[in-house]
Amino acid sequence: LIYPNNRKLSVNMYIGGMEWDCFNNNNTLITQAFYGRNQPRAGGAKYNGSNYFGVVVMGKHKFAKKLDLTAGAVYQTSMYDEKEFVNSSRRKDSYYQVSAGIYYRLYANFTYYVQSAYTNNHSSVFIYDYDRFEILTGISFEL
């Protein structure tokens, strides 16, 4: 990864999880937990690295031969090493997202999808505090 002003960023990330087939072949549940560390290799004036951890839960139901319904949730929290601004507390972010989607297989390797997601990022620094709702659509291609 490249950090602004040509500073390089080291990223260490550890992910563990399981994929579960529930009841029959039509239902899948995916669970993950992760921990990571972002650390610039060169000293950044206002950025000295952060630790983050989170969990992911996603489910998929095969509604018909070509139609899948999905739902998921992600939670992540981050803590930064030092203060970003002189007169503020140390930055801490918590992020969660819930999503749902419909996937329709057009041909063997092409899938049309519509996915919606609501994201809430709560931050102790107000410019990073936001809510967002989005709808994505497209066609994916599998090799």
Side-chain angles (χ1 to χ4, degrees):
L1 298 174
I2 301 299
Y3 188 73
N5 300 324
N6 296 322
R7 294 187 178 105
K8 300 231 181 211
L9 179 67
S10 295
V11 177
N12 301 312
M13 188 167 187
Y14 307 94
I15 299 174
M18 297 193 70
E19 182 172 318
W20 311 78
D21 287 333
C22 303
F23 306 115
N24 55 39
N25 293 358
N26 294 333
N27 299 300
T28 304
L29 179 67
I30 298 169
T31 57
Q32 284 185 341
F34 59 89
Y35 167 78
R37 169 92 182 140
N38 296 334
Q39 181 64 52
R41 291 182 188 158
K46 293 182 179 179
Y47 182 80
N48 294 297
S50 67
N51 293 310
Y52 56 93
F53 63 89
V55 293
V56 178
V57 177
M58 299 183 77
K60 179 176 78 169
H61 174 69
K62 184 173 283 302
F63 188 70
K65 187 174 182 180
K66 294 185 172 187
L67 187 66
D68 292 338
L69 303 176
T70 65
V74 177
Y75 175 78
Q76 176 180 315
T77 187
S78 302
M79 177 66 84
Y80 293 81
D81 288 344
E82 296 184 8
K83 293 181 179 182
E84 186 170 6
F85 302 106
V86 176
N87 295 322
S88 70
S89 59
R90 186 166 67 164
R91 180 177 167 192
K92 182 177 181 184
D93 295 340
S94 63
Y95 164 98
Y96 73 86
Q97 181 181 70
V98 291
S99 62
I102 298 172
Y103 292 77
Y104 181 75
R105 186 170 300 278
L106 297 170
Y107 299 104
N109 295 337
F110 292 93
T111 302
Y112 174 72
Y113 64 90
V114 176
Q115 177 132 7
S116 64
Y118 170 75
T119 304
N120 175 273
N121 192 69
H122 179 70
S123 179
S124 59
V125 178
F126 73 94
I127 59 176
Y128 301 111
D129 197 41
Y130 63 86
D131 291 307
R132 179 175 61 214
F133 180 76
E134 57 192 348
I135 296 176
L136 306 169
T137 186
I139 295 177
S140 65
F141 173 73
E142 300 170 8
L143 296 175

PDB file of all heavy atoms in Angstrom, residues 25-46:
ATOM      1  N   ASN A  25     -27.903 -27.989   1.367  1.00  0.00           N
ATOM      2  CA  ASN A  25     -26.981 -27.301   0.458  1.00  0.00           C
ATOM      3  C   ASN A  25     -27.467 -25.915   0.061  1.00  0.00           C
ATOM      4  O   ASN A  25     -26.747 -25.178  -0.589  1.00  0.00           O
ATOM      5  CB  ASN A  25     -26.789 -28.126  -0.814  1.00  0.00           C
ATOM      6  CG  ASN A  25     -26.065 -29.422  -0.528  1.00  0.00           C
ATOM      7  OD1 ASN A  25     -25.676 -29.683   0.602  1.00  0.00           O
ATOM      8  ND2 ASN A  25     -25.893 -30.233  -1.542  1.00  0.00           N
ATOM      9  N   ASN A  26     -28.678 -25.542   0.432  1.00  0.00           N
ATOM     10  CA  ASN A  26     -29.234 -24.259   0.002  1.00  0.00           C
ATOM     11  C   ASN A  26     -28.891 -23.108   0.937  1.00  0.00           C
ATOM     12  O   ASN A  26     -29.150 -21.956   0.606  1.00  0.00           O
ATOM     13  CB  ASN A  26     -30.756 -24.359  -0.139  1.00  0.00           C
ATOM     14  CG  ASN A  26     -31.152 -25.288  -1.261  1.00  0.00           C
ATOM     15  OD1 ASN A  26     -30.402 -25.463  -2.216  1.00  0.00           O
ATOM     16  ND2 ASN A  26     -32.316 -25.896  -1.140  1.00  0.00           N
ATOM     17  N   ASN A  27     -28.349 -23.376   2.101  1.00  0.00           N
ATOM     18  CA  ASN A  27     -28.055 -22.324   3.072  1.00  0.00           C
ATOM     19  C   ASN A  27     -26.588 -22.374   3.475  1.00  0.00           C
ATOM     20  O   ASN A  27     -26.075 -23.433   3.813  1.00  0.00           O
ATOM     21  CB  ASN A  27     -28.925 -22.496   4.320  1.00  0.00           C
ATOM     22  CG  ASN A  27     -30.389 -22.415   3.997  1.00  0.00           C
ATOM     23  OD1 ASN A  27     -30.855 -21.405   3.491  1.00  0.00           O
ATOM     24  ND2 ASN A  27     -31.120 -23.480   4.265  1.00  0.00           N
ATOM     25  N   THR A  28     -25.953 -21.223   3.458  1.00  0.00           N
ATOM     26  CA  THR A  28     -24.549 -21.123   3.858  1.00  0.00           C
ATOM     27  C   THR A  28     -24.401 -19.970   4.839  1.00  0.00           C
ATOM     28  O   THR A  28     -24.950 -18.891   4.622  1.00  0.00           O
ATOM     29  CB  THR A  28     -23.643 -20.870   2.639  1.00  0.00           C
ATOM     30  OG1 THR A  28     -23.849 -21.901   1.684  1.00  0.00           O
ATOM     31  CG2 THR A  28     -22.175 -20.847   3.040  1.00  0.00           C
ATOM     32  N   LEU A  29     -23.649 -20.178   5.917  1.00  0.00           N
ATOM     33  CA  LEU A  29     -23.333 -19.142   6.891  1.00  0.00           C
ATOM     34  C   LEU A  29     -21.822 -19.015   6.957  1.00  0.00           C
ATOM     35  O   LEU A  29     -21.118 -20.015   7.092  1.00  0.00           O
ATOM     36  CB  LEU A  29     -23.894 -19.507   8.266  1.00  0.00           C
ATOM     37  CG  LEU A  29     -23.629 -18.519   9.390  1.00  0.00           C
ATOM     38  CD1 LEU A  29     -24.378 -17.207   9.122  1.00  0.00           C
ATOM     39  CD2 LEU A  29     -24.041 -19.104  10.723  1.00  0.00           C
ATOM     40  N   ILE A  30     -21.325 -17.796   6.853  1.00  0.00           N
ATOM     41  CA  ILE A  30     -19.880 -17.534   6.895  1.00  0.00           C
ATOM     42  C   ILE A  30     -19.599 -16.651   8.105  1.00  0.00           C
ATOM     43  O   ILE A  30     -20.242 -15.612   8.279  1.00  0.00           O
ATOM     44  CB  ILE A  30     -19.405 -16.847   5.608  1.00  0.00           C
ATOM     45  CG1 ILE A  30     -19.666 -17.769   4.408  1.00  0.00           C
ATOM     46  CG2 ILE A  30     -17.927 -16.473   5.690  1.00  0.00           C
ATOM     47  CD1 ILE A  30     -19.480 -17.099   3.072  1.00  0.00           C
ATOM     48  N   THR A  31     -18.657 -17.054   8.938  1.00  0.00           N
ATOM     49  CA  THR A  31     -18.256 -16.264  10.101  1.00  0.00           C
ATOM     50  C   THR A  31     -16.757 -16.025  10.035  1.00  0.00           C
ATOM     51  O   THR A  31     -15.997 -16.918   9.675  1.00  0.00           O
ATOM     52  CB  THR A  31     -18.613 -16.989  11.418  1.00  0.00           C
ATOM     53  OG1 THR A  31     -17.989 -18.272  11.420  1.00  0.00           O
ATOM     54  CG2 THR A  31     -20.106 -17.155  11.560  1.00  0.00           C
ATOM     55  N   GLN A  32     -16.335 -14.820  10.364  1.00  0.00           N
ATOM     56  CA  GLN A  32     -14.913 -14.466  10.380  1.00  0.00           C
ATOM     57  C   GLN A  32     -14.631 -13.538  11.553  1.00  0.00           C
ATOM     58  O   GLN A  32     -15.491 -12.767  11.967  1.00  0.00           O
ATOM     59  CB  GLN A  32     -14.509 -13.708   9.118  1.00  0.00           C
ATOM     60  CG  GLN A  32     -14.366 -14.525   7.895  1.00  0.00           C
ATOM     61  CD  GLN A  32     -13.831 -13.691   6.733  1.00  0.00           C
ATOM     62  OE1 GLN A  32     -13.889 -12.469   6.754  1.00  0.00           O
ATOM     63  NE2 GLN A  32     -13.319 -14.353   5.731  1.00  0.00           N
ATOM     64  N   ALA A  33     -13.424 -13.605  12.042  1.00  0.00           N
ATOM     65  CA  ALA A  33     -12.899 -12.641  13.008  1.00  0.00           C
ATOM     66  C   ALA A  33     -11.539 -12.207  12.479  1.00  0.00           C
ATOM     67  O   ALA A  33     -10.828 -13.002  11.865  1.00  0.00           O
ATOM     68  CB  ALA A  33     -12.767 -13.264  14.388  1.00  0.00           C
ATOM     69  N   PHE A  34     -11.192 -10.940  12.677  1.00  0.00           N
ATOM     70  CA  PHE A  34      -9.913 -10.469  12.161  1.00  0.00           C
ATOM     71  C   PHE A  34      -9.284  -9.458  13.107  1.00  0.00           C
ATOM     72  O   PHE A  34      -9.959  -8.814  13.897  1.00  0.00           O
ATOM     73  CB  PHE A  34     -10.057  -9.881  10.750  1.00  0.00           C
ATOM     74  CG  PHE A  34     -11.010  -8.719  10.653  1.00  0.00           C
ATOM     75  CD1 PHE A  34     -10.589  -7.415  10.855  1.00  0.00           C
ATOM     76  CD2 PHE A  34     -12.344  -8.931  10.339  1.00  0.00           C
ATOM     77  CE1 PHE A  34     -11.466  -6.356  10.765  1.00  0.00           C
ATOM     78  CE2 PHE A  34     -13.230  -7.885  10.235  1.00  0.00           C
ATOM     79  CZ  PHE A  34     -12.794  -6.582  10.455  1.00  0.00           C
ATOM     80  N   TYR A  35      -7.962  -9.385  13.012  1.00  0.00           N
ATOM     81  CA  TYR A  35      -7.167  -8.405  13.754  1.00  0.00           C
ATOM     82  C   TYR A  35      -6.118  -7.869  12.790  1.00  0.00           C
ATOM     83  O   TYR A  35      -5.562  -8.617  11.997  1.00  0.00           O
ATOM     84  CB  TYR A  35      -6.469  -9.044  14.961  1.00  0.00           C
ATOM     85  CG  TYR A  35      -5.417  -8.141  15.543  1.00  0.00           C
ATOM     86  CD1 TYR A  35      -5.765  -7.074  16.361  1.00  0.00           C
ATOM     87  CD2 TYR A  35      -4.083  -8.316  15.224  1.00  0.00           C
ATOM     88  CE1 TYR A  35      -4.803  -6.220  16.867  1.00  0.00           C
ATOM     89  CE2 TYR A  35      -3.109  -7.467  15.722  1.00  0.00           C
ATOM     90  CZ  TYR A  35      -3.478  -6.415  16.548  1.00  0.00           C
ATOM     91  OH  TYR A  35      -2.531  -5.568  17.030  1.00  0.00           O
ATOM     92  N   GLY A  36      -5.856  -6.587  12.843  1.00  0.00           N
ATOM     93  CA  GLY A  36      -4.863  -6.009  11.955  1.00  0.00           C
ATOM     94  C   GLY A  36      -4.120  -4.861  12.595  1.00  0.00           C
ATOM     95  O   GLY A  36      -4.522  -4.313  13.619  1.00  0.00           O
ATOM     96  N   ARG A  37      -3.026  -4.499  11.951  1.00  0.00           N
ATOM     97  CA  ARG A  37      -2.188  -3.381  12.404  1.00  0.00           C
ATOM     98  C   ARG A  37      -1.675  -2.646  11.182  1.00  0.00           C
ATOM     99  O   ARG A  37      -1.079  -3.256  10.292  1.00  0.00           O
ATOM    100  CB  ARG A  37      -1.011  -3.917  13.216  1.00  0.00           C
ATOM    101  CG  ARG A  37       0.062  -2.904  13.514  1.00  0.00           C
ATOM    102  CD  ARG A  37      -0.165  -2.212  14.821  1.00  0.00           C
ATOM    103  NE  ARG A  37       0.868  -1.205  15.043  1.00  0.00           N
ATOM    104  CZ  ARG A  37       0.619  -0.024  15.568  1.00  0.00           C
ATOM    105  NH1 ARG A  37      -0.580   0.281  15.966  1.00  0.00           N
ATOM    106  NH2 ARG A  37       1.565   0.842  15.733  1.00  0.00           N
ATOM    107  N   ASN A  38      -1.938  -1.342  11.103  1.00  0.00           N
ATOM    108  CA  ASN A  38      -1.368  -0.477  10.068  1.00  0.00           C
ATOM    109  C   ASN A  38      -0.230   0.312  10.697  1.00  0.00           C
ATOM    110  O   ASN A  38      -0.422   0.956  11.716  1.00  0.00           O
ATOM    111  CB  ASN A  38      -2.416   0.524   9.544  1.00  0.00           C
ATOM    112  CG  ASN A  38      -3.564  -0.161   8.869  1.00  0.00           C
ATOM    113  OD1 ASN A  38      -3.428  -1.245   8.358  1.00  0.00           O
ATOM    114  ND2 ASN A  38      -4.715   0.487   8.871  1.00  0.00           N
ATOM    115  N   GLN A  39       0.935   0.279  10.080  1.00  0.00           N
ATOM    116  CA  GLN A  39       2.073   1.007  10.631  1.00  0.00           C
ATOM    117  C   GLN A  39       2.917   1.588   9.511  1.00  0.00           C
ATOM    118  O   GLN A  39       3.467   0.839   8.710  1.00  0.00           O
ATOM    119  CB  GLN A  39       2.943   0.087  11.494  1.00  0.00           C
ATOM    120  CG  GLN A  39       4.132   0.773  12.109  1.00  0.00           C
ATOM    121  CD  GLN A  39       3.711   1.859  13.082  1.00  0.00           C
ATOM    122  OE1 GLN A  39       2.922   1.619  13.979  1.00  0.00           O
ATOM    123  NE2 GLN A  39       4.226   3.062  12.903  1.00  0.00           N
ATOM    124  N   PRO A  40       3.039   2.922   9.424  1.00  0.00           N
ATOM    125  CA  PRO A  40       3.911   3.507   8.401  1.00  0.00           C
ATOM    126  C   PRO A  40       5.364   3.121   8.646  1.00  0.00           C
ATOM    127  O   PRO A  40       5.817   3.053   9.785  1.00  0.00           O
ATOM    128  CB  PRO A  40       3.716   5.008   8.574  1.00  0.00           C
ATOM    129  CG  PRO A  40       2.486   5.168   9.383  1.00  0.00           C
ATOM    130  CD  PRO A  40       2.356   3.935  10.215  1.00  0.00           C
ATOM    131  N   ARG A  41       6.091   2.857   7.579  1.00  0.00           N
ATOM    132  CA  ARG A  41       7.525   2.560   7.701  1.00  0.00           C
ATOM    133  C   ARG A  41       8.318   3.828   7.948  1.00  0.00           C
ATOM    134  O   ARG A  41       9.325   3.809   8.619  1.00  0.00           O
ATOM    135  CB  ARG A  41       8.020   1.873   6.430  1.00  0.00           C
ATOM    136  CG  ARG A  41       7.459   0.495   6.267  1.00  0.00           C
ATOM    137  CD  ARG A  41       7.992  -0.177   5.040  1.00  0.00           C
ATOM    138  NE  ARG A  41       7.277  -1.428   4.819  1.00  0.00           N
ATOM    139  CZ  ARG A  41       7.191  -2.025   3.674  1.00  0.00           C
ATOM    140  NH1 ARG A  41       7.775  -1.522   2.617  1.00  0.00           N
ATOM    141  NH2 ARG A  41       6.531  -3.131   3.558  1.00  0.00           N
ATOM    142  N   ALA A  42       7.872   4.937   7.355  1.00  0.00           N
ATOM    143  CA  ALA A  42       8.496   6.235   7.623  1.00  0.00           C
ATOM    144  C   ALA A  42       7.562   6.995   8.550  1.00  0.00           C
ATOM    145  O   ALA A  42       6.352   6.868   8.462  1.00  0.00           O
ATOM    146  CB  ALA A  42       8.690   7.007   6.321  1.00  0.00           C
ATOM    147  N   GLY A  43       8.096   7.776   9.452  1.00  0.00           N
ATOM    148  CA  GLY A  43       7.274   8.477  10.438  1.00  0.00           C
ATOM    149  C   GLY A  43       6.331   9.466   9.782  1.00  0.00           C
ATOM    150  O   GLY A  43       6.736  10.285   8.988  1.00  0.00           O
ATOM    151  N   GLY A  44       5.054   9.377  10.105  1.00  0.00           N
ATOM    152  CA  GLY A  44       4.065  10.330   9.613  1.00  0.00           C
ATOM    153  C   GLY A  44       3.821  11.378  10.669  1.00  0.00           C
ATOM    154  O   GLY A  44       3.775  11.085  11.853  1.00  0.00           O
ATOM    155  N   ALA A  45       3.659  12.627  10.277  1.00  0.00           N
ATOM    156  CA  ALA A  45       3.506  13.708  11.231  1.00  0.00           C
ATOM    157  C   ALA A  45       2.263  13.530  12.095  1.00  0.00           C
ATOM    158  O   ALA A  45       2.303  13.755  13.295  1.00  0.00           O
ATOM    159  CB  ALA A  45       3.440  15.041  10.500  1.00  0.00           C
ATOM    160  N   LYS A  46       1.135  13.104  11.499  1.00  0.00           N
ATOM    161  CA  LYS A  46      -0.103  12.993  12.260  1.00  0.00           C
ATOM    162  C   LYS A  46      -0.652  11.583  12.265  1.00  0.00           C
ATOM    163  O   LYS A  46      -1.782  11.351  12.647  1.00  0.00           O
ATOM    164  CB  LYS A  46      -1.153  13.931  11.680  1.00  0.00           C
ATOM    165  CG  LYS A  46      -0.822  15.384  11.851  1.00  0.00           C
ATOM    166  CD  LYS A  46      -1.932  16.237  11.304  1.00  0.00           C
ATOM    167  CE  LYS A  46      -1.628  17.702  11.499  1.00  0.00           C
ATOM    168  NZ  LYS A  46      -2.668  18.550  10.968  1.00  0.00           N
TER     169      LYS A  46
END
